[in-house]
Structure formats: structure tokens, C-alpha cells
Amino acid sequence: MNVEKRDTTISSKEKDDDLDKFVYMVSHDLRSPLAAIQGMVQLLNEDYRDVLGPEGEYYLERINVNVVKMESLINDLLKLSRVGRFELPNERIDVNSLVHKIVNEYLEQYGLDRRVIVVDELPSVFYPREALKDVFEYLIDNAFKFLGDQEEPRIRVGFQKKESHHIFFVKDNGIGISQENSEKIFKVFERVRDIDSKGNGMGLTLSKKIVEYYGGKIWVESTKGKGSTFFFTVPVAEAELNEI
Ligand code: ADP
């Protein structure tokens, strides 16, 4: 009997797609019960404040803090599973104004003086806007977050032009990363344990997934205790080459 052989091996791309679909569904479905918890906490706070007393109020506040944490985790998981699932259009982005907007938000959030950060003259690129915004946000947020107790904190956002790609970088003189951790930190949920980070350990994983999906690379050069520079590349698009 001639039995036709079928190829039943599942490629790693298919496995990744299935995993992305699964993460997408789970995180999507977790959103509504979480919103319900948030709503109930708010009602308890408004209607039962007097009955609860200070201890009860403290418990509610802790629930809230954790709900917000979970919300950010779910949103980042959703973003992670979405990279490449939906075709985002390339558009011309004035990186200068994008970065200045992000920097202003974080300066305010971290209560730091404008002199802490220098932004070089940055070019325009063709890229999906939300994707580029996410990468700069994660890297700039980290630069602020990991300044440590540096007396003269300094951050610089800069760029180098190569023939086929732009290299952007975010440099800080913060706590730095040891050699052994500098690859690990791009893996999901990996954080260096000796620091108390308020993040969820997903920013660099997401940045890597975005940058690589759009044909670039991301890496860090760092010395522990002296600071870090995160680099990522953006391919020079056909449209840009035609403009030259
Ligand atoms: P999160 O910042 O939410 O913890 P990330 O994926 O953005 O997650 O970063 C992972 C880990 O990499 C951080 O917890 C921290 O240990 C390390 N890290 C990232 N950026 C920096 C930086 N600029 N300086 C020092 N350590 C950093």
C-alpha cells in the first residue's frame, strides 16, 4: 500500500504565530474583568469610604496600584502579540519633534531639569509612527528610570547616518548593565534583580520585536556603574533614497 507522507512538522514561524494569537486572545479577554474590578474599587471608594476607615482605604489603594500594574502588563502583552499581525503604514516622521514630545513628558514625570537631556538634530524617517514612538518611549523612559543616584545625570538622544540605515541611540550616565546581563535584558520579563524597577520587564522585548520586524537591530553598550547606550537601526527607505 502506498501511504502518502504528509509533512506534519510545525515550523517555528507557525509556532510563533500561534503563540502570538494565544497571547493576543488571553490579554484581550483579561481586559474586561480588570476594568470591572477597577469600576468596583472606585464604587467602594466613593460609597463606602466612611465604613472602610483608613485601613480599608489602604487596602483599596493597594488593589488599585496592582490593577494599574496589571493593566500596563496586559497592554504591553497585547502590543507584543500585535507586532507584525497588523500591517501598519510607513509614514514620514519628523523624529526631532517626536523625541522632543516624549522627552518633555518624561522630564515632567521624573521632575528633572531640562539640562539633564540633550537631543541632537535628528532626521526624518519612513516608519510606522506608533512603532517608532513605542521604541523611543521605552528607551528614554529607561534612561530616566535607571539614572540611579547620579549627582550629575545626563541623557543624550542622538543619531549616526550610514548608507543603508540610520543608527539612533539613547545614552545615559546611570547605573549601567553588566556584560552578562546585556543580552538577557532583551528577553521577556527579564530585569536585573538588584534594582527596584517599577516596570514590567517588557519594554526592551517589545522594542527588539518592533525594531527587528522592521528590518533593524537593537543592542546595548554599557559599563556597570558608568552608564549605558542603547542603539537601534532604521533602514533607509526607498522613498528617502529617491528624495536625495
Ligand atoms: P523594565 O524597565 O520595565 O524593567 P525593560 O525591558 O525596559 O523592563 O528593561 C529590562 C531591564 O533592563 C530593566 O529592568 C533594567 O534591569 C535593565 N535596563 C534597561 N534599560 C536600562 C538602562 N538605561 N540602564 C540600566 N539598566 C537598564
Side-chain angles (χ1 to χ4, degrees):
M1 196 173 56
N2 203 353
V3 183
E4 201 182 312
K5 266 196 190 162
R6 269 200 304 146
D7 185 6
T8 50
T9 49
I10 302 171
S11 71
S12 72
K13 160 108 184 48
E14 278 172 309
K15 268 192 220 160
D16 283 353
D17 286 351
D18 283 351
L19 191 61
D20 278 352
K21 245 185 247 167
F22 175 74
V23 172
Y24 178 78
M25 277 161 51
V26 172
S27 37
H28 188 266
D29 288 359
L30 282 174
R31 275 176 137 183
S32 53
L34 195 65
I37 297 173
Q38 231 164 356
M40 291 299 148
V41 169
Q42 200 181 338
L43 283 179
L44 272 174
N45 227 335
E46 283 166 14
D47 300 344
Y48 292 88
R49 223 195 178 118
D50 301 342
V51 187
L52 288 167
E55 207 175 343
E57 252 181 65
Y58 171 74
Y59 292 152
L60 275 190
E61 189 208 303
R62 296 311 306 158
I63 297 176
N64 227 353
V65 167
N66 284 287
V67 166
V68 170
K69 255 193 198 168
M70 199 162 157
E71 198 181 20
S72 118
L73 186 61
I74 290 173
N75 285 340
D76 282 352
L77 277 171
L78 265 176
K79 274 189 189 169
L80 192 68
S81 67
R82 275 180 178 150
V83 179
R85 272 167 66 82
F86 303 100
E87 223 27 74
L88 300 175
N90 265 359
E91 52 182 296
R92 184 180 241 295
I93 305 169
D94 172 359
V95 184
N96 243 340
S97 84
L98 177 86
V99 166
H100 276 284
K101 245 188 236 160
I102 297 171
V103 161
N104 288 342
E105 275 165 30
Y106 286 118
L107 278 172
E108 200 178 310
Q109 187 176 318
Y110 287 91
L112 287 171
D113 190 278
R114 165 154 297 283
R115 277 168 297 180
V116 165
I117 189 158
V118 172
V119 179
D120 293 353
E121 193 62 31
L122 303 171
S124 291
V125 297
F126 282 88
Y127 212 77
R129 180 174 292 277
E130 277 311 303
L132 192 65
K133 181 167 169 267
D134 278 344
V135 175
F136 272 115
E137 272 181 354
Y138 289 121
L139 297 186
I140 294 172
D141 187 18
N142 279 347
F144 278 102
K145 221 166 27 178
F146 299 109
L147 279 171
D149 47 17
Q150 171 62 255
E151 272 178 26
E152 288 191 22
R154 291 277 174 270
I155 296 171
R156 179 172 162 211
V157 184
F159 127 97
Q160 296 156 14
K161 172 103 192 309
K162 299 277 171 201
E163 231 161 68
S164 59
H165 54 274
H166 300 292
I167 305 177
F168 290 97
F169 63 83
V170 180
K171 181 181 168 82
D172 66 67
N173 64 348
I175 62 172
I177 301 154
S178 67
Q179 187 64 35
E180 55 164 314
N181 284 324
S182 57
E183 282 197 19
K184 255 206 226 157
I185 52 172
F186 289 97
K187 301 216 167 94
V188 74
F189 301 137
E190 284 287 355
R191 289 144 76 186
V192 181
R193 299 284 161 216
D194 54 344
I195 10 164
D196 174 29
S197 154
K198 292 204 170 64
N200 56 28
M202 289 198 52
L204 290 178
T205 310
L206 251 164
S207 303
K208 183 171 156 72
K209 196 163 176 192
I210 294 172
V211 169
E212 290 180 353
Y213 182 77
Y214 293 106
K217 283 190 192 144
I218 185 167
W219 69 99
V220 62
E221 287 172 12
S222 180
T223 309
K224 203 165 162 60
K226 295 232 161 102
S228 318
T229 310
F230 283 82
F231 298 86
F232 72 96
T233 64
V234 167
V236 173
E238 288 282 315
E240 275 174 274
L241 288 172
N242 293 339
E243 274 184 1
I244 299 166

